[in-house]
Amino acid sequence: MSKHKADSSSHSPNKKIKVSTVSRPSVGNLSPETSDLTFQQLELDHYVGTPYPGMPGAQTGSVPIMRMFGVTKSGNSVCCHIHGFSPYFYASLPGSFTQADCSSFKNKLNNAVIADVRSKEKITDAVLMVQIVQGKSLVEYTGDEDLNFIKVTVALPRFVAPAKRLLEGGTVIQSYYCSIFESNVDIEMRFMIDTKVLGCSWIELPIGKWFKRTTTSQFKITSRCQIEADISWDNFIAHAPEGEWAKVAPFRIHSFDIECAGRKGIFPEPNIDPVIQIANVVKLYGADEPLIRNVFTLNTCAAIGHAEVRCFNREEELLDAWADFVRELDPDVLTGYNINNFDVAYLIDRAKQLKLRNFDFLGRILSIRSVIKETVTQTKIGKRTFKSVNFEGRVAYDMLMVIKRDFKLRSYTLNNVSKEILGEQKEDVHYSIITDLQNGDEQTRRRLAVYCIKDADLPLRLLDHVKSFTNDIEMARVTGVPITSLLTKGEQVKVVAQLLRHSREAGYFMPTHQQVPSSEQYEGATVIEPIRGYYTDPIATLDFSSLYPSIMIAHNLCYSTLLKPNMQNKLGLTPDQITVTPAESMFVKSSVRMGLLPQILQQLLAARKRAKAALKDEKDPVMRAVLDGRQLALKISANSVYGFTGAQVGKLPCLEISGSVTAYGRSMIEQTRLEVEQHYSIANGYEKDAKVIYGDTDSVMVNFQVKTLERSMELGREAAELISSKFVKPIKLEFEKVYFPYLLINKKRYAGLYFTRTDKYDKMDCKGIETVRRDNCTLVVDVINTCLQKLLINRDPDGATAYAKQVISDLLQNNVDISQLVITKELTKADYAAKQAHVELAKKMTKRDPGNAPKLGDRIPYVITAAAKNTPAFQKAEDPIYVLENNIPIDATYYLENQLSKPLLRIFQPILGENAESILLRGEHTRTKTVVTSKVGALAAFTRKKETCLGCRSVLPAGYENEALCAHCKPKESTLYQQELSHQKKLEDRFSALYTECQRCMGSLHEEILCTSRDCPIFYIRKKVQMELENSQNRISRFGEPIEEEEN
Amino acid sequence: MKESVADRLSTDYKNLSERFTKQTKNFTKQYCSIYTVRLGKMRNLLKNRIKKKWGEQYPICELHKLSENDYPKCIVVGTLFKDQKLKPSVLKQLAEANSLVPQPVYTHYTDDSDTLFIEDELQRFQMIGDIDKASLVTGISCALLGRDLGQGKFEVEDYCFADFQPQIERPLLEDDMYVIFISGLDLVHFQKVSPSLQIFCSWVSGFFGNINDIDVSKIVRLVIAGNSTKIVHEKIKTTMSLTSRATELPEVIESVKLFDSLLLELAQVIEVDVMPGEHDPSNHVLPQQVMHHCMFPKSMMYKSLNQVPNPYECQIGGVRILGSSGQPVTNILGFCDIQEPIDALERCLKWSHIAPTAPDTLGCYPFYDNDPFVIENCPHVMFAGNQEKFSTKLCKGEDGQEVRLMCIPEFANTFTVGVLNLKNLNCIPVSLRIL
């Protein structure tokens, strides 16, 4: 490993080289008397503190104080304390309750709450205020009259729950059980709604209204931000994210990656294995080039051109210096790959192990340590533990979580993700080599550092490439939730936030929903039964644009318009004021009351239109990304409203709404079918009878039985318009695309060539066809893809069939590269109830080499090898490298029957019909099989390899073992020699192409390739070519030296 | 030998190609080693050039020490790497094998986005500044004068290559003495080349008389510079596997037999050096090994038949000749904007390397203890076979080296051979086209 002459004297640890400045730009003079303070807030939380003099709200005892973190336009960090805001909720009142009852009610509730919380500190005012307010419950239409509600304001958030419970219990108001509203809204959300603060919005503290904390001010500086300010909650301005305020501040995004020196065969454990390197890459939002790129290394490390190297003698120094670096850098966003579950947690545990007292102050609040919180979630697959770490004021934005949330991939390793998303392979140094590199010299450590930096670089590049941060900022703005909740909380919170904002303006109170398990079912979106087949005529697709939102708008479906069966007569509503949905629920029409959900949806759709229009005119690439993110966020938000009403374990499920929406959807699809087939018929003067061949959720596929794209598009457009006119506005049927040709396999399984214009197809569109399933080998994915391409793009069903047959034949003749046959599974626990292939293999590998045994959490690649009949599949799994090295035969039949056959038959059945199976799986092409002799195994011990003639494979007679050919083949020597050469030539060519490719990927010509990325398609081939070359050279050498020795 | 040329001149001959044939071929090695030994060798050669060009006023700094030394101006030595997005890539090929959308086919891989890097054993720096990236390729060793800009960038002010190496003295020959160079016989298309080839054979045998005033009896040697069997690759049928067995086409096997007969005819009248070419039955990567005797059962009987490797170096009558069957030159032209093969050949001398793009884009053995392609002694004649047309040039080095450069055209397309006079290094094309 240490082929380089190490000149270790040149680098003494701790010698800093060209340390670039890390801190933020300086603030300069900033005074509340002369200037405002404007910043974009990113994080928002609250804490309990003491009242700030001169601010509204309780003046004694503990009060909640809101805290915002953000960045100014010039890149200064801000921590802003916002005073005077208190939590509250609403409760229903008996009709008899009057203003006069308020005071005694307040005292009674106050005392009850104080008694209930039994706090050690003395509380005098738990309930600060009760007011009678007018409004309506959000759920159900019960007439237009406002009712009296009581608004209960409490001193601290923790008093909300007991107050709610007491009111519900009927003890405070004699024998009246209050219905409670909005008690489950946390104080951050409450505050944001009341002050119209949206996620990531710009906040202005006007001149003279704010106070700046200094070293001498009465209230001490509590944060690491450059500016710390105080203001009253009713004195600041929250700007709507439009125009100038749509911009994004230069947030500091800090990506990092750590390397640990593990022991052989054991995944690094923080109580034993040291952290040896931490690489950091910092970028400002919207900048092209990173601001800082550096690496902290344990022991010396040779300099790196594109990054600063900081070396340390002791691990303690390294960790402390890194923590200092983070504090000085003061990042707004921390990112990396799997930092939540690994890097951060490891660092904190390791620092604890090394007894570093100040390491874990990584957030922005001086007094708060970052700690690991474990949450266990129970999913269908099993228990999973997630770790999270608090960084007050900084957003932990783990790219692994983002990619998992936004992309469906075969594997989420950083290698695979960068391959799939960035389209580039990444060098993968196996962790067993990492310790060797660390124990080498300063050059091997440099090698490791370069690798580590790359791993810190990639998450940032991913973040830029998928625009996730920009899109999340926009989602936060559109839905009004803090950006952190987009990663940590589910979908529902976004809808709740919007509902609350609109409820408040419209005078509704949102009930606190008691979650009760419900067995009520409603019918999902059904489909028109597909007429399967391979259609070579153009198939026009008619789509309802934003179907569910438009149904809700068209029929005024909302919580607030829901009419319970007995209420129609009670309220004296006439039938024309009521909509009875196909699901037999009743809603009042918009003439009676405009629903809130339709209003929200209309606004979202209108805003999307505006964003799209603005996007068209925008030139600046950064702003374009922002606007595109916004229109996407608006679309997603509009579509998520329906899901929210249907989520049975949600905040406010309403099956009347969701059931009606899907029922309308179903009937509309059906109606569209009828209309199309009736109108576009020979009887009606058209050339052919149109046929709807399939319909799903919001689209209908029509075969107009015409031959050209042009005609199909023309009819499609016409039909969309014709049928739109038969539905209530804004429901609109749109003609979007033609599939030509179209392969309809089953419900939600189809593929077609997608045309929106006549000259060129847009793409190949596949739905529900195994292309991403994780437990398939890549052979399946590739074969299915190629077959579909042949069917759809080349319109060559015969070619596709021939290709499929060829692959099957190649497979049976051992002509498929092993990398295409590798199946990968994660080793999640040592003992499964049922024996599993990868677990059994892990045991086998442990026996072979305990040092390199796979560990829990490793992904285990394996291939299925041939074995005696009736050997269970789990015993046939083998390590691909072991298979290559020992020439173990692959179980081609397994791959054919268990991997290839089903997906292949699925796509070929519409073409070949019932014969598909016999044509593909039992044809002539399946007759030839290649038998490979293994170097290991039961029989190998008894066979002695005898040299055979390279021409006819007959055993060479004694005394002639070193000849290439037998006497019979000798006349054909030239030909046979050239055949061997031909293969050798091809292998040599592959060898040089493969190894230079790896050099380029690694980014170095002079260093050895160490990569063992099993996600890379050429990893196994590289090995295989090497082995085959050796073999081939041996065969050729049997022909003797090219120039005959002269006989003297 | 036949009578007609019984009075043919003969001269002393030395095959100097041992470094191309006597090396262990070990495919368990990687390509990093050849770059390391290349740079080691070239660093020595470059030392003199650096001294000559820039004197001793600037320190020579290893790339990884740049950031700590912070020189205002210094010299770095390394291997060039040209990052080219159009460079053929196995990964791309694999990805494309699964998509039927026809991919653009390139024969020239340069693009505006190409970026140059300088790399030594440990570091890689991007090269910024006034450097003619269009005329450079990966694998060249060079020295740069400039400064570290930080962030992995090096600003280049001036640069130099190892340049012409020392040359042995060329003996004074009294008489004309000719060597003929021929390449690209393409015998798979025998019908096409056969008439011209017949004339060629009779000319060399002396039956045809003199052409272009060349005294046949003074032709001392014939060099066949590759692609005797064929000149173009058939598109290989794509298979599922990158390692599945490839077989040779019957017409190629047939053409080898024809080649044997042709060699038989020629070896009877003249000394013949036979180099394998890209499409000949030898191995594929450079250096291509001597073609095996079993394919030449008839001609191998003659001592005058001399199977040699590609590249090939020899000394004839005291004149040093170095050349290849053309792959290095063709490959260089594909990855930079040098237009003429003859210029690429000259560059190779300047770069002191026969095949800089190997192994990056041109296959070669993963040598680990030597880089046989480094030009350590300046030849008198340097040639490349299988080029589109004949061209020649006499170039001179700073220390008075004189080198005759020759591009030998494909015979099957031009019916032209090159004739070199060892006495004065004059070189002319001789056309054998039948009108």
Side-chain angles (χ1 to χ4, degrees), chain B residues 344-364:
Chain B
L345 207 51
E346 184 176 0
R347 290 303 179 108
C348 286
L349 273 175
K350 277 227 159 244
W351 300 328
S352 271
H353 204 276
I354 306 170
T357 55
D360 190 46
T361 48
L362 180 65
C364 81

Side-chain angles (χ1 to χ4, degrees), chain A residues 3-5 7 10-11 15 17-18 289-293 302-307 425 442-443 446 761 779 782-783 785-786 789-790 793-794 803 806-807 810 814-817 820 973-975 977-997 999-1010 1016-1018 1021-1022 1024-1026 1028-1030 1033 1035-1036 1039-1044 1046, chain B residues 25-33 35-36 39 64-68 70 78-81 87-94 97-101 119-125 138-139 148-153 233 236-237 239-249 252-253 256-257 277-285 288-297 300 303 306-308 359-366:
Chain A
K3 58 178 172 166
H4 312 296
K5 276 168 263 144
D7 183 6
S10 63
H11 285 96
K15 181 182 165 194
I17 308 151
K18 271 194 198 169
E289 291 286 318
L291 184 71
I292 296 165
R293 194 187 268 128
I304 298 168
H306 59 284
Q425 289 290 336
E442 62 166 6
Q443 295 304 345
R446 177 188 170 275
Y761 64 83
L779 177 72
D782 291 350
V783 169
N785 264 334
T786 312
Q789 279 166 352
K790 285 193 189 283
I793 300 175
N794 297 18
Y803 174 78
Q806 180 62 42
V807 170
D810 276 343
N814 198 28
N815 255 341
V816 175
D817 283 326
Q820 295 203 287
E973 186 176 17
S974 171
T975 309
Y977 178 75
Q978 288 181 56
Q979 299 296 8
E980 294 295 330
L981 258 190
S982 172
H983 187 51
Q984 166 85 5
K985 280 169 94 160
K986 182 178 161 185
L987 290 172
E988 285 181 1
D989 191 36
R990 299 289 189 219
F991 177 88
S992 56
L994 289 165
Y995 276 86
T996 49
E997 181 79 57
Q999 286 191 316
R1000 284 178 220 139
C1001 171
M1002 177 178 75
S1004 164
L1005 301 175
H1006 295 83
E1007 285 180 273
E1008 201 177 353
I1009 300 156
L1010 301 176
C1016 177
I1018 66 179
I1021 305 175
R1022 223 170 63 191
K1024 171 106 183 200
V1025 165
Q1026 242 173 8
E1028 291 259 314
L1029 263 173
E1030 193 189 341
Q1033 270 191 315
R1035 288 165 72 100
I1036 287 179
F1039 284 90
E1041 286 295 312
I1043 297 175
E1044 273 188 308
E1046 304 218 3
Chain B
K25 281 99 202 172
N26 185 344
F27 283 104
T28 59
K29 300 286 178 191
Q30 296 186 2
Y31 283 131
C32 50
S33 317
Y35 284 111
T36 309
L39 186 56
H64 71 274
K65 299 228 172 107
L66 276 175
S67 51
E68 64 186 271
D70 215 6
T79 311
L80 287 185
F81 176 76
K87 218 178 247 185
S89 138
V90 194
L91 280 171
K92 267 192 239 160
Q93 270 173 35
L94 282 175
N98 296 317
S99 83
L100 291 184
V101 191
E119 187 182 317
D120 65 11
E121 288 84 348
L122 300 167
Q123 287 272 359
R124 174 179 282 191
F125 271 72
T138 296
D148 174 23
L149 295 179
Q151 301 278 319
K153 290 177 180 156
H233 245 318
I236 313 163
K237 197 186 116 215
T239 47
M240 283 299 294
S241 167
L242 282 178
T243 54
S244 58
R245 207 162 167 81
T247 51
E248 193 56 272
L249 300 168
V252 176
I253 292 168
V256 172
K257 288 184 185 156
E278 186 180 359
H279 307 299
D280 286 328
S282 172
N283 60 309
H284 192 249
V285 296
Q288 282 188 291
Q289 296 304 296
V290 171
M291 285 189 277
H292 199 274
H293 61 78
C294 74
M295 294 180 286
F296 304 96
M300 63 164 283
K303 264 199 159 173
N306 188 23
Q307 294 280 5
V308 298
D360 190 46
T361 48
L362 180 65
C364 81
Y365 277 116

Side-chain angles (χ1 to χ4, degrees), chain A residues 586-756:
Chain A
M586 285 192 294
F587 293 88
V588 296
K589 293 210 159 149
S590 56
S591 52
V592 179
R593 173 192 279 179
M594 180 72 191
L596 196 62
L597 290 179
Q599 279 177 46
I600 295 176
L601 290 168
Q602 269 171 345
Q603 281 179 21
L604 288 171
L605 295 180
R608 178 159 184 243
K609 242 184 207 164
R610 280 200 307 277
K612 277 176 118 174
L615 180 62
K616 254 188 201 158
D617 301 332
E618 185 61 55
K619 296 280 176 292
D620 176 31
V622 180
M623 274 311 287
R624 280 187 65 89
V626 168
L627 287 170
D628 193 45
R630 178 168 305 180
Q631 69 87 9
L632 194 70
L634 287 162
K635 180 184 168 185
I636 296 170
S637 302
N639 287 331
S640 63
V641 171
Y642 154 77
F644 178 78
T645 63
Q648 300 196 18
V649 282
K651 293 269 188 194
L652 197 60
C654 181
L655 298 190
E656 287 92 340
I657 299 177
S658 55
S660 298
V661 170
T662 44
Y664 270 119
R666 278 196 307 276
S667 73
M668 283 160 63
I669 295 279
E670 193 51 44
Q671 192 186 341
T672 307
R673 184 212 341 226
L674 287 175
E675 300 273 357
V676 167
E677 291 186 354
Q678 218 165 57
H679 187 86
Y680 294 93
S681 58
I682 299 172
N684 214 7
Y686 285 88
E687 53 262 59
K688 283 280 172 58
D689 281 336
K691 182 82 193 143
V692 169
I693 56 166
Y694 179 51
D696 188 0
T697 319
D698 57 358
S699 52
V700 173
M701 280 66 168
V702 189
N703 186 358
F704 287 110
Q705 313 231 32
V706 293
K707 294 292 166 198
T708 63
L709 269 175
E710 287 82 0
R711 183 65 182 147
S712 178
M713 287 186 176
E714 192 185 328
L715 289 173
R717 252 174 235 123
E718 191 189 301
E721 211 155 294
L722 176 86
I723 293 160
S724 291
S725 65
K726 313 214 167 187
F727 290 114
V728 188
K729 271 190 182 150
I731 293 170
K732 200 172 161 218
L733 194 60
E734 281 177 350
F735 165 76
E736 201 173 82
K737 64 207 174 225
V738 166
Y739 285 118
F740 182 43
Y742 185 60
L743 178 69
L744 180 52
I745 297 169
N746 209 336
K747 281 179 197 172
K748 297 188 190 289
R749 271 186 209 267
Y750 57 84
L753 207 55
Y754 186 115
F755 284 86
T756 52

Side-chain angles (χ1 to χ4, degrees), chain B residues 281-399:
Chain B
S282 172
N283 60 309
H284 192 249
V285 296
L286 293 184
Q288 282 188 291
Q289 296 304 296
V290 171
M291 285 189 277
H292 199 274
H293 61 78
C294 74
M295 294 180 286
F296 304 96
K298 298 185 208 157
S299 54
M300 63 164 283
M301 313 301 282
Y302 283 84
K303 264 199 159 173
S304 48
L305 179 79
N306 188 23
Q307 294 280 5
V308 298
N310 166 37
Y312 171 48
E313 183 164 26
C314 65
Q315 192 168 314
I316 308 172
V319 175
R320 270 216 190 199
I321 300 175
L322 170 67
S324 72
S325 298
Q327 298 100 310
V329 165
T330 310
N331 196 259
I332 288 169
L333 295 177
F335 293 91
C336 66
D337 290 335
I338 298 175
Q339 298 299 323
E340 294 301 325
I342 200 82
D343 294 334
L345 207 51
E346 184 176 0
R347 290 303 179 108
C348 286
L349 273 175
K350 277 227 159 244
W351 300 328
S352 271
H353 204 276
I354 306 170
T357 55
D360 190 46
T361 48
L362 180 65
C364 81
Y365 277 116
F367 291 116
Y368 57 95
D369 47 8
N370 187 25
D371 178 1
F373 307 117
V374 174
I375 305 175
E376 288 172 275
N377 297 295
C378 184
H380 299 113
V381 176
M382 190 155 157
F383 68 92
N386 297 297
Q387 301 304 310
E388 209 175 297
K389 56 180 200 295
F390 176 87
S391 56
T392 183
K393 188 176 185 179
L394 190 71
C395 63
K396 292 185 176 165
E398 285 188 12
D399 304 324

